[in-house]
Amino acid sequence: MVTARWAAAILGCAWQVLGAPSYVSHPDRLDAVKEAFQRSWDGYYQYAFPNDTLRPISKTSQNDRNGWGASAVDAISTALVMGNQDVINQIVDHIQHINFNTTAVGAETVSVFETTIRYLGGLLSAYDFLSGPLSEYAQDKASVDKILEQAISLADVLSVAFGTPSGVPINTLIFSSDGPHVGDDTTNGIATIGTLVLEWTRLSDITGDDKYAKLAQAGEDYLLNVRNPDIGEPYPGLIGTNVNVTSGDFTDSSGGWNGGTDSFYEYLIKMYVYDTERFSVYKDRWIAAIDSTIKYLASHPTSRPELTFLAAYDGRDELSFVSTHLACFDGGNFILGGLTLDNEEYTKFGLDLVNACHETYLATVTGIGPEVFYWQDGKLPANASNNRPPPNDATDFYAAAGFWIPSGGGSYVLRPEVIESFYYAYRATGDAKYQDWAWEAFLNINATCSAGVGFSSIRNVNVAGGGGFTDFQESFWFAEVLKYSYLVQADDAPWQVNAEHNNQWVFNTEAHPFQVKGKPI
């Protein structure tokens, strides 16, 4: 008898042998995603613009990302791929007038990482699109040129973060009447250090001024070449989390694919896709991390051994069997690397991760996966101190699902990572089931998170109705959830992920597409 898992493996081989996948567009699904985007935008534009974030139930706003209109800038690349001219015009008009030298009152504490991926990423993506394949949506050349000027202005303002003895940036900036000053952080994390390099390098490549790339790559070098590997690299290619900004040394040995570390690994292979000639070292480091992840971190729950999750670690052989919605981007990243390197093992492993994250959606009352989940590893002794069984009130759930949700871990904050990985799986295989999974996820999110004049995060995915709203519509709802939900159902296009070594674009961690600099791979 052929099991479902073996059937999937056989089908995975088939698409490699039979050639490039073919894709099918679903106009009805695309229209539904467009409607959700428009409703979200209309609520934001009426009640929150030009502030950062809509509170859709109270019909108010919040400046949680500097007060520069985070939702607007985060939405622009999605509006562009959807061809939404009215929204494009509104956002482009807004960008012309942002003053990056001052923040909104109460929003003076600025994250260099968040500002880079949302604002700088959105601006560069808009410039690439409007000066390139989507120039038909540009109002005029002057407004497009201004977008690039604003990206330069923003990077110049943020550059103060890199003035440390090591060059490792300080993530926190405090804005005052005389401009931004660095916070008193003594360490920075590998995600917040290592998720600047794509955006800042792209800015240098567009402008011809290499100072931006040099700033980001100087900090990155401490992650690519760990100075104290006895602490900072517990497994080959898998590194710690926090780096001293003065010395560049690692201060701990903990890590994995969860928040705080995740997008460092994501960008290693994406930098290679961006330019294979300049960033082959990044590719080599990604391969080392992937090989160690498969060897040391892959874990199978005792109740559902066919599922594959990735453990976290606190030093070598000190594993924690915990994962998050954030980490569910991992399947898509493995798949992208597998396609890029013609490595079928990586692609298949990525598809296994995608399947397991899909199961986190199937298991809950709302059909949406939780923020945090645990499992008991099938290889370690059941009585090991780091391998405890589920609590009594989660035993039945764990037996069926292969994971359990800890107290307080059941929220859903409009995160994209599971749908993101469905997207990569579909683009790699052409298998329509991934479109169906993405559609089911979108319908469940649409049904549960629709609130007031937009959409809101919810408190508990395993309670009917989501357990209450937080009255908060994240900017990455526009940038990521709605973009991936759209692209997975859409026709082929130059910016779509390509399975034939012709990736002309690469997505930043906020799903803003950039044109690659090197030969498409």
Side-chain angles (χ1 to χ4, degrees):
M1 180 177 177
V2 179
T3 66
R5 192 175 183 198
W6 277 108
I10 293 168
L11 288 173
C13 293
W15 65 259
Q16 293 277 359
V17 172
L18 296 177
S22 59
Y23 306 110
V24 177
S25 175
H26 293 278
D28 56 330
R29 296 178 179 181
L30 294 172
D31 286 344
V33 179
K34 285 181 175 180
E35 188 280 331
F37 177 90
Q38 191 66 54
R39 178 165 171 260
S40 304
W41 176 260
D42 289 345
Y44 166 73
Y45 197 71
Q46 181 174 356
Y47 295 104
F49 180 85
N51 298 295
D52 288 335
T53 302
L54 170 69
R55 289 190 170 277
I57 298 171
S58 58
K59 298 179 182 178
T60 58
S61 65
Q62 181 169 327
N63 283 316
D64 58 306
R65 292 295 168 206
N66 320 341
W68 298 331
S71 288
V73 180
D74 238 0
I76 191 166
S77 60
T78 304
L80 280 159
V81 299
M82 290 181 175
N84 191 325
Q85 184 73 71
D86 289 343
V87 174
I88 294 166
N89 291 347
Q90 290 168 330
I91 300 173
V92 170
D93 288 345
H94 168 67
I95 289 170
Q96 312 296 301
H97 306 292
I98 301 173
N99 180 3
F100 290 120
N101 292 298
T102 186
T103 66
V105 174
E108 294 86 0
T109 301
V110 168
S111 164
V112 174
F113 162 75
E114 295 287 359
T115 303
T116 292
I117 66 173
R118 302 187 197 214
Y119 286 105
L120 188 58
L123 294 172
L124 293 173
S125 184
Y127 181 80
D128 271 348
F129 274 135
L130 290 170
S131 64
L134 296 179
S135 59
E136 65 194 273
Y137 297 114
Q139 300 173 60
D140 51 60
K141 185 176 184 299
S143 64
V144 178
D145 289 344
K146 182 65 175 179
I147 293 173
L148 179 57
E149 291 175 20
Q150 287 287 62
I152 295 168
S153 174
L154 175 58
D156 287 342
V157 167
L158 298 179
S159 292
V160 65
F162 296 88
T164 63
S166 67
V168 172
I170 291 174
N171 188 52
T172 304
L173 297 183
I174 311 296
F175 278 65
S176 63
S177 58
D178 58 346
H181 304 270
V182 295
D184 58 3
D185 314 23
T186 58
T187 63
N188 197 355
I190 67 169
T192 43
I193 300 166
T195 317
L196 311 175
V197 65
L198 178 58
E199 294 83 355
W200 289 67
T201 299
R202 182 64 189 144
L203 180 59
S204 280
D205 287 341
I206 293 172
T207 62
D209 187 341
D210 65 358
K211 69 181 181 182
Y212 305 108
K214 285 182 175 179
L215 287 173
Q217 291 172 23
E220 184 87 16
D221 186 65
Y222 290 91
L223 313 184
L224 299 174
N225 301 286
V226 177
R227 301 324 197 248
N228 56 332
D230 54 323
I231 295 175
E233 193 167 356
Y235 303 99
L238 293 174
I239 58 179
T241 297
N242 295 297
V243 177
N244 184 288
V245 298
T246 300
S247 66
D249 289 340
F250 274 83
T251 63
D252 62 64
S253 304
S254 62
W257 288 77
N258 292 306
T261 57
D262 46 3
S263 47
F264 160 68
Y265 299 107
E266 175 188 355
Y267 271 27
L268 292 177
I269 194 63
K270 287 186 173 182
M271 290 305 294
Y272 183 68
V273 173
Y274 178 72
D275 191 336
T276 57
E277 290 190 9
R278 280 187 290 170
F279 298 107
S280 61
V281 171
Y282 288 65
K283 175 258 295 180
D284 294 341
R285 288 296 284 172
W286 185 84
I287 291 172
I290 293 312
D291 289 345
S292 286
T293 296
I294 294 172
K295 183 175 181 179
Y296 299 109
L297 305 187
S299 175
H300 308 286
T302 53
S303 63
R304 294 283 303 276
E306 76 279 11
L307 301 184
T308 302
F309 296 126
L310 299 182
Y313 55 86
D314 185 11
R316 191 176 180 94
D317 300 325
E318 293 292 330
L319 299 181
S320 299
F321 302 104
V322 56
S323 191
T324 59
H325 198 292
L326 274 169
C328 279
F329 87 96
D330 53 15
N333 195 245
F334 273 71
I335 290 166
L336 176 63
L339 292 176
T340 302
L341 304 175
D342 287 322
N343 188 307
E344 189 175 326
E345 179 190 5
Y346 295 161
T347 302
K348 286 182 178 180
F349 191 86
L351 292 172
D352 282 345
L353 295 174
V354 172
N355 179 67
C357 284
H358 179 230
E359 290 289 331
T360 70
Y361 272 54
L362 293 179
T364 69
V365 172
T366 61
I368 305 170
E371 180 75 354
V372 182
F373 57 93
Y374 289 83
W375 67 96
Q376 187 178 35
D377 178 67
K379 291 184 293 185
L380 286 183
N383 61 351
S385 61
N386 63 333
N387 197 35
R388 298 301 188 190
N392 291 335
D393 60 358
T395 301
D396 291 343
F397 183 88
Y398 175 65
F403 68 93
W404 72 88
I405 304 169
S407 177
S411 63
Y412 172 68
V413 295
L414 302 180
R415 291 206 187 279
E417 292 81 14
V418 173
I419 296 176
E420 173 184 354
S421 283
F422 293 164
Y423 168 71
Y424 279 91
Y426 174 65
R427 296 298 302 179
T429 66
D431 190 335
K433 77 177 182 182
Y434 298 114
Q435 288 182 300
D436 294 340
W437 290 3
W439 178 239
E440 290 162 6
F442 171 78
L443 290 177
N444 292 335
I445 295 166
N446 196 41
T448 306
C449 299
S450 178
V453 295
F455 292 80
S456 171
S457 301
I458 55 175
R459 301 185 186 281
N460 192 339
V461 296
N462 211 29
V463 172
F469 298 106
T470 64
D471 192 20
F472 200 81
Q473 182 176 279
E474 296 277 359
S475 76
F476 50 71
W477 166 251
F478 289 109
E480 300 187 75
V481 178
L482 293 172
K483 184 182 288 99
Y484 287 124
S485 294
Y486 182 83
L487 290 178
V488 73
Q489 312 293 349
D491 285 324
D492 208 0
W495 47 85
Q496 293 269 33
V497 168
N498 186 278
E500 297 181 83
H501 292 290
N502 190 31
N503 280 296
Q504 302 172 47
W505 295 71
V506 64
F507 291 70
N508 89 331
T509 196
E510 194 82 357
H512 293 302
F514 300 162
Q515 283 191 302
V516 303
K517 181 63 174 177
K519 181 181 178 180
I521 186 171

